[in-house]
Amino acid sequence: MSKFKIPVHTVHSGILQENAVMLGDKSMKRLKIPAHGSIQLTFGSFRQEVTVIPVPKTDSLRVSEALARRLGLRQRLTLNVSYSPGSRTLRLGPMIGVLVSRDYPDHPDRLFGPITMFCRELTNACHAQGAYVYFFTPEALESRSSSIQGWVYDEGWRKLSLPVADVINNRLTTRKVENKPSVQHFLADVKSRYGTHFFNEKFLDKTEVFEALAQDATLQRYLPESHALKGFAVLKKMCGTYNSVFLKPVRGSLGKGILRISKEEGGGYQLLSTTPLGTRKQSYPSLTKLFQSFAPKMKTTRYQIQQGLHLMELGRRPVDFRALVQKNGTGKWGVTSIVARTAGSNHFVSNLARGGTLSTVREAITKSNLPSGVKESSQVQLPRAALAIARGVETYIPAHFGELGIDLALDQSGRIWLLEVNSKPSKNDNTPLNDQKIRPSVKQMILYCRYLAGL
């Protein structure tokens, strides 16, 4: 099967009928398409029988305005094309759909809120790679239809009626929206009806991840002791074993709601909690009193209790690492980037949303308080750990993931620990430290979409 990129042009419907396309004769020979024959044209879920008219001295594919409208195509663009002689199918694409939580039509400069620039960047990268991308919200799924109302960027955002995409990336930011019946029904329907690939199809919670990875003996060395916090007995046992423990909302993100419990010299316990303004400190004479103070929160929030770690530090501030691990153009996991995150001055967590700062892994480790003997090896071992963990998530959790944000830490002896796995990695949190127009992470995502779509 021959594959390459080809310019696609729209011509006046009076010149060309909707059930015919014009194709340069060189491209026809390259693709091995019989002249004046009838073939299937496909673009995402769109299918139509068309007659191919050969045109000398051109390398483009020309379609009528009426057909372009049904395809959702703009005036001029370049797309990957492939032809399968067995099924007589000419495929364009891949068509990529990105499912986002909300749009703000009254604010075209910030149509998708904080991820608007990512959406523009993805559009530019798709143009360069011969792919086509659109963005849609759960509201577009309320009506049962074979087409979707989605946004495309063409010198400004435009809403078009579009085919269902070959590949859909789930960028929904809340579990409540993700679990809506209309969303779940749509995803099941397009998978079975069109063979649509859908990746990062669900949120992960902390208990699920740690219980899944614990099944693999080779991954257990990265896992701090961790349990679902069911009641006082678990808290008492963990605080009896470790000098400090962390309580993390099972479904939390951005460092919200994390609690740190540590023993005080006088025999009591200190509770640190994250707030927008910094760390809140409270002291309790006993563990029982401390438990009573936050037990009401357990009625609405499930917590994971985790062994406290003495993390490597920069200027007495704890440091952790965010690895972005993505599937590549051959469907294999690879580490796209790792950055070090140093906690803000009034915080005990390193999230950027809590005042943390970014640096390169080399810079952070070189300046850290780690023993000199492990500084070099740590830089090699961190990406290996991230890859092993990504493969473990894929093996033990039944869902399709194309990218994962994996938070790792080094303790003060240089041992690597897993803190968290995020199936919806922020498009800001892992921004590279250089100022490239199109980030490697965006290019990698398109390569994986092309792999899934067979284009």
Side-chain angles (χ1 to χ4, degrees):
M1 186 191 298
S2 185
K3 303 175 192 175
F4 54 92
K5 286 195 290 191
I6 194 167
V8 182
H9 298 163
T10 303
V11 297
H12 195 277
S13 293
I15 299 170
L16 191 62
Q17 293 182 323
E18 191 175 336
N19 64 349
V21 298
M22 292 174 166
L23 186 58
D25 51 7
K26 284 184 182 175
S27 296
M28 289 189 69
K29 285 175 187 170
R30 196 171 164 189
L31 290 164
K32 298 180 177 148
I33 297 175
H36 298 282
S38 179
I39 64 168
Q40 281 273 329
L41 177 68
T42 74
F43 187 47
S45 64
F46 178 89
R47 304 273 186 281
Q48 180 164 316
E49 197 88 7
V50 294
T51 301
V52 185
I53 303 167
V55 182
K57 297 179 183 176
T58 181
D59 62 351
S60 66
L61 173 70
R62 299 177 188 178
V63 300
S64 69
E65 288 173 336
L67 181 55
R69 270 195 301 275
R70 293 182 59 207
L71 290 164
L73 294 178
R74 303 186 304 280
Q75 286 295 97
R76 286 171 178 266
L77 74 166
T78 299
L79 291 172
N80 294 295
V81 61
S82 73
Y83 180 70
S84 174
S87 59
R88 297 182 305 103
T89 301
L90 182 69
R91 289 188 66 200
L92 304 176
M95 179 174 261
I96 301 168
V98 181
L99 180 54
V100 298
S101 293
R102 290 192 63 185
D103 57 11
Y104 303 88
D106 295 337
H107 301 278
D109 291 343
R110 298 262 298 166
L111 182 64
F112 305 111
I115 65 164
T116 304
M117 289 313 294
F118 160 72
C119 297
R120 285 284 309 277
E121 185 182 1
L122 182 58
T123 300
N124 293 340
C126 281
H127 287 177
Q129 289 202 33
Y132 186 91
V133 66
Y134 66 84
F135 305 86
F136 64 107
T137 66
E139 281 65 43
L141 311 178
E142 299 294 345
S143 59
R144 299 282 180 262
S145 171
S146 58
S147 62
I148 292 175
Q149 294 296 307
W151 293 97
V152 299
Y153 191 84
D154 180 21
E155 298 178 0
W157 291 105
R158 295 169 57 200
K159 203 166 200 178
L160 301 174
S161 181
L162 297 149
V164 175
D166 297 301
V167 183
I168 294 174
N169 175 214
N170 178 5
R171 290 295 312 165
L172 295 176
T173 51
T174 70
R175 288 173 169 83
K176 184 178 179 183
V177 173
E178 187 173 88
N179 293 329
K180 284 174 81 171
S182 59
V183 172
Q184 291 302 314
H185 178 274
F186 166 78
L187 297 173
D189 184 48
V190 297
K191 279 185 198 175
S192 62
R193 201 193 310 187
Y194 305 117
T196 300
H197 299 274
F198 180 65
F199 70 91
N200 284 38
E201 56 189 338
K202 58 172 265 186
F203 277 92
L204 293 169
D205 72 40
K206 295 176 180 67
T207 303
E208 173 187 32
V209 168
F210 278 81
E211 287 180 355
L213 297 181
Q215 298 173 64
D216 190 320
T218 63
L219 297 177
Q220 288 171 7
R221 59 182 165 158
Y222 301 125
L223 306 179
E225 187 175 351
S226 184
H227 305 279
L229 182 63
K230 298 286 177 65
F232 181 70
V234 179
L235 178 67
K236 184 179 179 184
K237 181 177 181 297
M238 288 288 283
C239 287
T241 307
Y242 303 105
N243 288 326
S244 67
V245 297
F246 280 82
L247 272 54
K248 300 178 178 181
V250 164
R251 295 184 164 184
S253 64
L254 303 175
K256 291 177 185 172
I258 294 178
L259 306 172
R260 181 177 184 265
I261 298 170
S262 54
K263 295 172 185 173
E264 292 185 319
E265 287 182 14
Y269 287 85
Q270 183 185 74
L271 176 67
L272 302 183
S273 50
T274 55
T275 76
L277 299 175
T279 299
R280 184 182 175 205
K281 293 182 183 178
Q282 295 163 285
S283 292
Y284 296 88
S286 68
L287 197 57
T288 307
K289 293 283 187 190
L290 186 153
F291 180 73
Q292 287 170 351
S293 75
F294 79 81
K297 291 182 181 177
M298 292 173 62
K299 292 175 182 173
T300 54
T301 305
R302 288 191 296 130
Y303 285 92
Q304 181 85 351
I305 186 167
Q306 206 170 81
Q307 162 190 353
L309 302 167
H310 293 288
L311 301 189
M312 80 171 233
E313 293 180 348
L314 264 180
R316 302 189 69 183
R317 298 179 186 183
V319 179
D320 67 22
F321 304 89
R322 161 59 65 93
L324 179 64
V325 187
Q326 294 178 291
K327 292 279 188 74
N328 61 21
T330 59
K332 303 285 192 299
W333 287 109
V335 177
T336 304
S337 64
I338 306 186
V339 291
R341 304 183 302 183
T342 304
S345 56
N346 296 319
H347 295 274
F348 61 92
V349 293
S350 64
N351 301 71
L352 302 191
R354 299 269 171 253
T357 54
L358 290 180
S359 62
T360 66
V361 173
R362 178 172 289 279
E363 182 185 356
I365 288 178
T366 302
K367 293 180 179 177
S368 75
N369 61 343
L370 283 183
S372 56
V374 300
K375 285 186 175 181
E376 206 62 43
S377 62
S378 297
Q379 294 175 54
V380 176
Q381 296 301 327
L382 280 168
R384 288 181 185 170
L387 271 180
I389 289 161
R391 291 178 186 132
V393 168
E394 181 173 49
T395 301
Y396 297 104
I397 296 178
H400 179 183
F401 301 105
E403 61 177 5
L404 295 167
I406 297 178
D407 292 346
L408 301 169
L410 290 166
D411 67 20
Q412 295 192 4
S413 70
R415 181 175 172 179
I416 297 173
W417 297 91
L418 172 66
L419 301 180
E420 190 173 337
V421 178
N422 185 344
S423 64
K424 306 293 177 75
S426 161
K427 292 306 169 189
N428 302 318
D429 208 23
N430 62 326
T431 303
L433 301 164
N434 50 16
D435 192 23
Q436 291 180 322
K437 287 187 178 175
I438 296 177
R439 289 173 278 182
S441 59
V442 175
K443 293 177 183 175
Q444 198 70 272
M445 176 185 159
I446 299 167
L447 288 173
Y448 182 53
C449 290
R450 287 181 61 178
Y451 163 78
L452 289 174
L455 279 158

